[in-house]
């Protein structure tokens, strides 16, 4: 079988050689027959009878040649292994060098493959787009419910659309209470992604018309919390104090994240619940909190969809000028949106490890070239006894490939460890958790090993095979002349140049990283515990009820031993950016499209102190600000104060947010320091805080009655975890 396999690759050349040889034998037999007096036709016929079937001769000869060639290769491999055993230290150095270079490259390629190269795990995934609202300096953002409804009704480019809104749930079934990241989605969400469930069936518009307490579990959550129970469909589970009926379990490839890190469009959620477009939502053009997805009709391009939705947006702005002036639309492919922030960095990382591999190949080539110099007498003897240059090159190249193959095996171990490290410690990259040593990555590893073997071994093999037998046998030093020195010097120069480029690049990266890390965040969370909770709408239907519930929780937490301070906010730094709203100030009327966009937060008294956000001017919230009928106030950060009142003291000024009600003014009582709520690399946002007991209409609904509780302790915060859970129960 091996003979036949190699026959496929060598048959063309060998067939030509055998055809010439067989024709020569036939010509000799014909000449012999004509010498006996036979005519040319008789001589040709007699020669064919005497010689037999040329096809049979060709098969036997070809098989014999292939078998001989395979035997030679096998002997070369055995000799290569013997050479490796005779120089164990050298072998270990070369194998380790190649193993690290190839293994690192394979590990990073696995990430590139899973994040950038693989198609989305959805039917028609190349036609799925995200549709964003835009507003002046804010590049892209969520859409208002009314805008989503208009896009759905008026577009000419989508097969179907869906909306998603992030949600936080507390699961109280199957173990200790656990905070889960979920998404509320319209029924079209599952139709758009077109991926069959692992169990049950997704909820439809007809289902949620009669029951909105339905939930679809992610595959990971089903396995982790419910032990993969096949009878989970139809069961009721407790989410946020309410009973939800499980209708389906999504398949394993449905989520593009680990369920704990946000991914656009709710594609990393641990569960999904219904999102309905009520009459109130349909009329809402001022609260922008829905992520919109669409599936393009076949043949429709994103550019065509962009043009069509721009038409729709112009109509919306004309109909609703106050909340919509200055707003636009942006259509991006879902695949591009998922990796926009990571594409360049990922390719650069692959280029960096590829450069390391190239340096390793040059280093190995230099070592092999030096080794070949010491074997010049051996090569000379082989050439003197009849070894052709091609035969010597093949033997030396086989030795290099065997060496690199051993490095490839070591690389698999390095790649496995590297992939595990990148998955566990890597950044929040969608589909990073899918990186693995699968068939695609193994095929790449095999190809890379072959290429590395050729790069590392071809030069030394050719140089060693060009040895002058007479000079090598007379020269007792084993040198092969000045040519070897020039080649080795060239390799050293190449290796040094690559190393310098890589070192400079790494140094610039480290310097940038250090500078970013040195930028102050504007808050301090040492010995601080954060717990997010969400109150069920059925139990806490009114804003006063929500405020009283959180006030009671805060009091219980402050009474706990070892607690230094307690506060709460709808958003905390590094965990959420708040809802974007336009801010208006007293004075000359400002055009709608020139109003600053502010990140709006509801907060308790002592929250700013608990987070150690510095007070610049005025005061922060006090307990009296939380009582019913207290004057409406706000605290702003420095950036917002400088934007709204440049060169003035912001304390005492009045600001209006969230509402267009002429009576909705709030007095600014304090200015606090800026915080980098999304990390050092993200620009500082304009932020405003208002007392949680003074929440504007529909604000608690927009935040899903959820707050993050911040508890600062005198000892290690982990020790207070159980007590905090008890206070929240």
């Amino acid at each position: 079988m091996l003979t036949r396999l190699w026959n496929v690759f060598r048959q063309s050349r060998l067939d030509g050689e055998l055809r010439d040889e067989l024709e020569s034998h036939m010509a000799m037999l014909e000449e012999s027959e004509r010498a006996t007096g036979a005519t040319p036709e008789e001589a040709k016929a007699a020669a064919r009878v005497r010689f037999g079937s040329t096809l049979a001769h060709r098969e036997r000869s070809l098989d014999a040649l292939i078998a001989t060639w395979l035997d030679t290769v096998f002997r070369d491999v055995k000799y290569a292994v013997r050479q490796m055993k005779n120089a164990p230290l050298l072998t270990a150095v070369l194998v380790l060098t190649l193993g690290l270079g190839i293994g690192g490259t394979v590990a990073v390629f696995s990430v590139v493959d899973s994040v950038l190269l693989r198609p989305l795990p959805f039917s028609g995934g190349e036609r799925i787009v995200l549709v964003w609202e835009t507003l002046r300096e804010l590049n892209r953002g969520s859409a208002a419910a009314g805008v989503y409804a208009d896009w759905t009704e008026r577009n000419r480019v989508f097969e179907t659309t869906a909306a998603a809104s992030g949600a936080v749930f507390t699961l109280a079934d199957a173990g200790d209470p656990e905070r889960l990241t979920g998404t509320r989605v319209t029924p079209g969400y599952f139709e758009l992604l077109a991926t069959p469930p692992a169990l049950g069936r997704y909820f439809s518009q007809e289902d949620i018309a009669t029951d909105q307490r339905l939930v679809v579990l992610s595959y990971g959550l089903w396995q982790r919390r419910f032990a993969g129970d096949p009878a989970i469909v139809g069961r009721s589970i407790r989410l946020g104090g309410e009973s939800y009926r499980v209708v389906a379990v999504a398949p394993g490839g449905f989520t593009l994240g680990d369920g704990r890190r946000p991914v656009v469009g709710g594609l990393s959620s641990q569960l999904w619940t219904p999102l309905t477009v009520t009459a109130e939502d349909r009329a809402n053009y001022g609260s922008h909190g829905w992520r919109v997805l669409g599936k393009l009709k076949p043949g429709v391009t994103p550019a065509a969809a962009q043009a069509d939705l721009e038409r729709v947006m112009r109509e919306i702005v004309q109909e609703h000028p106050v909340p919509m002036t200055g707003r636009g639309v942006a259509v991006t492919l879902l695949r591009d949106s998922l990796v926009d922030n990571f594409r360049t960095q990922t390719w650069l990382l692959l280029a960096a490890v590829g450069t390391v591999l190239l340096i390793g190949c040059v280093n190995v080539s230099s070592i092999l070239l030096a080794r070949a110099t010491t074997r010049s007498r051996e090569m000379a003897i082989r050439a003197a006894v009849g070894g052709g240059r091609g035969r010597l090159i093949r033997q030396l190249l086989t030795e290099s490939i065997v060496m690199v193959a051993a490095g490839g095996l070591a690389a698999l171990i390095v790649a496995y460890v590297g992939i595990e490290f990148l998955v566990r410690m890597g950044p929040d990259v969608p589909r990073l958790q899918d990186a693995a040593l699968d068939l695609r990555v193994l095929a790449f590893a095999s190809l890379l090993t072959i290429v590395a073997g050729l790069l590392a071994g071809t030069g030394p093999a050719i140089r060693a095979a060009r040895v002058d037998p007479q000079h090598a046998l007379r020269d007792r030093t084993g040198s092969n002349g000045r040519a070897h020195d020039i080649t080795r010097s060239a390799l050293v120069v190449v290796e040094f140049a690559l190393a310098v480029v890589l070192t400079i690049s790494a140094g610039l990266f480290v310097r940038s990283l250090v500078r970013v890390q040195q930028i102050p965040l504007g808050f301090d969370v040492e010995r601080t515990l954060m717990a997010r909770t969400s109150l069920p709408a059925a139990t806490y239907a009114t804003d006063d009820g929500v405020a009283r519930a959180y006030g009671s929780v805060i009091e219980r937490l402050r009474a706990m031993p070892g607690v230094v301070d307690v506060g709460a906010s709808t958003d905390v730094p590094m965990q959420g950016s708040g809802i974007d709203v336009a801010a208006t100030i007293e004075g000359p009327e400002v055009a709608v499209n020139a109003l600053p966009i502010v990140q709006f937060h509801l907060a308790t008294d002592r929250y700013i102190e608990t987070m150690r956000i510095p007070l610049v001017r005025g005061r922060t919230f006090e307990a009296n600000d939380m009582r019913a009928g207290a004057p409406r106030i706000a605290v702003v950060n420095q950036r917002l104060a400088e934007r709204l009142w440049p060169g003035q003291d912001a304390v005492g000024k009045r600001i209006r947010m969230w509402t267009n009600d002429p009576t909705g003014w709030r007095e600014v009582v304090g200015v606090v320091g800026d915080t980098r709520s999304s990390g050092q690399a993200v620009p500082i946002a304009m932020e405003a805080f208002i007392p949680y007991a003074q929440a504007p209409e529909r604000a608690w609904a927009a935040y899903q009655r959820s707050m993050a509780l911040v508890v600062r302790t005198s000892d290690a915060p982990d020790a207070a975890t159980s007590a905090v859970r008890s206070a929240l129960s």
Side-chain angles (χ1 to χ4, degrees), residues 119-336:
L120 294 175
F122 311 121
S123 177
E126 71 284 352
R127 293 189 285 123
I128 299 177
V129 297
L130 282 168
V131 188
W132 311 81
E133 268 194 37
T134 61
L135 176 61
R136 300 192 310 277
E137 71 262 26
L138 292 181
N139 186 20
R140 296 180 302 190
S142 301
V147 174
Y148 159 70
D150 285 337
W151 284 345
T152 301
E153 296 165 5
R154 304 183 189 186
N155 84 86
R156 303 167 184 167
V157 293
F158 293 135
E159 281 186 354
T160 183
T161 61
S165 177
V168 177
F169 298 93
T170 300
L171 175 64
D173 289 53
D176 293 333
E178 179 183 358
R179 174 176 171 262
L180 300 177
T181 301
T183 306
R184 297 182 299 146
V185 298
T186 57
Y189 182 86
F190 300 105
E191 177 187 351
L192 185 146
L193 298 179
T195 304
L199 289 177
R201 68 176 182 85
Y202 300 124
F203 50 77
S204 64
Q205 190 64 46
E206 292 74 19
D207 294 330
I208 66 175
T210 58
D211 184 6
Q212 295 189 19
R213 295 289 180 261
L214 307 176
V215 61
V216 175
L217 304 179
S218 69
Y219 189 88
L221 179 63
W222 174 54
Q223 291 288 328
R224 179 172 56 83
R225 286 296 297 244
F226 301 98
D229 182 5
I232 189 66
V233 174
R235 272 182 52 185
S236 292
I237 61 175
R238 299 291 294 178
L239 294 174
E242 297 181 296
S243 178
Y244 281 75
R245 179 165 57 90
V246 178
V247 295
V249 174
F254 192 78
T255 54
L256 303 184
D258 61 4
R260 292 176 171 83
R261 297 182 256 191
V263 172
V264 291
L267 296 173
S268 67
S269 296
Q270 294 170 284
L271 55 87
W272 297 265
T273 59
L275 174 63
T276 58
V277 184
T278 65
E280 188 178 12
D281 290 328
R282 183 65 183 83
N284 175 24
Y285 290 85
S287 176
H288 308 269
W290 289 14
R291 293 292 173 89
V292 179
L293 299 93
K295 177 173 280 188
L296 300 172
K297 295 178 180 178
V300 176
T301 64
Q306 176 73 34
D308 185 62
L309 290 184
E310 285 176 353
R311 170 189 61 82
V312 177
M313 283 299 290
R314 287 193 294 270
E315 297 174 0
I316 296 173
V317 172
Q318 289 176 355
E319 297 166 6
H320 307 277
V322 174
M324 294 302 298
T325 298
R327 293 191 176 270
V329 63
V331 178
T332 60
L333 286 171
L334 174 61
R335 180 189 182 91
D336 293 340

Side-chain angles (χ1 to χ4, degrees), residues 12 49 109 159 165 173 464 478 504 583 608:
S12 177
V49 172
F109 173 79
E159 281 186 354
S165 177
D173 289 53
I504 292 175
I608 293 173

Side-chain angles (χ1 to χ4, degrees), residues 517-649:
Q517 293 297 325
Q518 289 175 343
I519 297 174
L521 291 172
F523 60 92
D524 176 22
V525 292
E526 185 178 359
R527 293 198 303 275
T528 301
L529 180 69
M530 193 275 283
R532 180 171 283 279
T533 185
S534 180
L535 302 177
T539 307
Y540 302 92
T542 66
D543 291 356
D544 289 342
V546 174
R548 284 195 300 271
Y550 280 119
S552 176
V553 170
I554 294 289
E555 289 178 5
R556 290 200 298 269
L557 291 174
R558 287 173 177 167
M560 289 169 42
V563 170
V564 175
D565 221 338
V566 177
S569 174
T570 46
D571 305 282
V572 294
M574 314 304 290
Q575 295 290 325
S577 57
I579 294 177
D580 298 327
V581 298
T584 306
I585 61 174
E586 281 188 312
E589 185 174 347
V590 180
V592 174
N593 60 359
L595 295 177
I597 303 303
V598 179
Q599 290 184 0
F600 182 87
H601 311 289
L602 304 178
T604 68
D605 57 305
R606 304 297 303 170
Y607 166 73
I608 293 173
E609 289 81 358
T610 304
M611 291 296 295
R612 299 294 190 264
I613 300 173
L615 176 65
V616 178
R617 286 188 300 278
R619 67 176 179 87
T620 59
F621 298 146
E622 299 172 352
N624 285 336
D625 297 323
M626 307 301 155
R627 61 180 173 79
R632 286 181 292 191
I633 61 173
V635 171
V636 300
N637 71 339
Q638 278 184 285
R639 180 157 186 240
L640 179 57
E642 292 168 358
R643 167 68 186 276
L644 296 179
W645 303 282
Q648 304 177 49
D649 186 357

